[in-house]
Amino acid sequence: MRVIIVDSAADVAAAAAARIVRAVNRARKHSRAAVLGLATGSSPLGTYEALAALVRDGSLDLRGVSGFALDEYVGLDHAHPESYHAVIRTSVTEPLGLDPAFVRVPDGLASDLSAACEAYEQSIADAGGVDLQLLGIGTNGHIGFNEPTSSFGSRTRLKTLTPQTRRDNARFFDSLEQVPMHALTQGIGTILEARELVLVANGEGKASAVAAMIEGPLSSMCPASALQLHPNAAVIIDRAAASQLNYTEYYEQVEANAHLVE
Ligand code: F6R
């Protein structure tokens, strides 16, 4: 796992955007369009803004690129501004100039939710798998909505949100009661199949989850620790999010010398 510690949220966004640009260009070199895994929440917003700025100034063309959102609330109308259908449309599809037909979000309104999850897995497979999955991390260590105790082999499915996650996400809604109890989420097994993982986190509130993910044991109690199993995962964090790590000096040494071994 690469651990990249930078000074500010803007630096986190720039470093993550650079990796996405690299993945898009790499796919293009092989005459195909990249498939991106898309996180929602506040953490990746700066990354999407950095990419949108490149699209606006003409240095990045994402036409043909497709995207798969990580998750969606169950029972929230797609027109609700906090549904991930709406969030992906307004913070990703539109600003990045993606074709909406190429951007999928799990269907939390489906009458048969498990069939919708199976269809979602199938559409990822049909697209040839995800080239780069962008991730955030919950204060309880979740990735997607894979809450603590989620199986590392899990696939896209229905999950019940923990009280902690509902409290954390209440800031997006008018009240805690409005935060849905359930979500559909790509599983940890699904996420681990992406060819590259990039997790971004900012702020002290994430420091304990970040330390458990990077330096803690592999454990379903910290779903993000599954990133330790991935051969191509980068965690890009600011100093506050890195503040509970023990090996900071080592990670900085590795990154300072990375050009010598790449
Ligand atoms: C959202 C998602 C979640 C968030 C996590 C952090 O698609 O998958 O795992 O990344 O809850 O949320 P923020 O970034 O709002 O702190």
Side-chain angles (χ1 to χ4, degrees), residues 94-176:
E94 289 173 357
L96 301 193
L98 299 182
D99 181 340
F102 293 169
V103 181
R104 303 278 296 256
V105 180
D107 186 2
L109 294 174
S111 52
D112 184 341
L113 291 170
S114 65
C117 291
E118 268 179 46
Y120 202 68
E121 287 278 334
Q122 190 57 52
S123 56
I124 294 174
D126 292 346
V130 170
D131 288 302
L132 184 148
Q133 175 67 58
L134 185 61
L135 297 162
I137 183 170
T139 56
N140 64 1
H142 73 209
I143 46 173
F145 277 133
N146 295 285
E147 299 286 33
T149 73
S150 288
S151 161
F152 282 8
S154 53
R155 313 301 306 187
T156 304
R157 69 209 183 293
L158 177 88
K159 282 300 285 182
T160 303
L161 302 183
T162 60
Q164 177 68 50
T165 295
R166 291 188 66 242
R167 280 194 295 274
D168 287 347
N169 286 7
R171 69 191 195 281
F172 298 115
F173 293 83
D174 291 336
S175 69
L176 178 60

Side-chain angles (χ1 to χ4, degrees), residues 1 8-9 39 55 58 100 138 141 144 147 166-167 172 211 230 250 260:
M1 184 192 294
S8 67
V55 169
E147 299 286 33
R166 291 188 66 242
R167 280 194 295 274
F172 298 115
H230 198 282
Y250 174 59
L260 300 176

Side-chain angles (χ1 to χ4, degrees), residues 20-21 24-25 28 50-52 54-62:
I20 293 172
V21 170
V24 168
N25 291 338
R28 231 168 240 138
L51 290 171
L54 297 175
V55 169
R56 276 196 305 274
D57 76 16
S59 50
L60 179 65
D61 182 356
L62 293 176

Side-chain angles (χ1 to χ4, degrees), residues 1-2 143 150-154 188-197 212-214 216-220 222-235:
M1 184 192 294
R2 294 280 289 267
I143 46 173
S150 288
S151 161
F152 282 8
S154 53
I188 297 177
T190 318
I191 292 168
L192 289 177
E193 281 175 8
R195 289 181 268 280
E196 180 175 0
L197 302 180
M213 161 176 65
I214 298 170
L218 198 58
S219 166
S220 68
C222 177
S225 66
L227 266 67
Q228 296 173 23
L229 294 169
H230 198 282
N232 187 12
V235 173

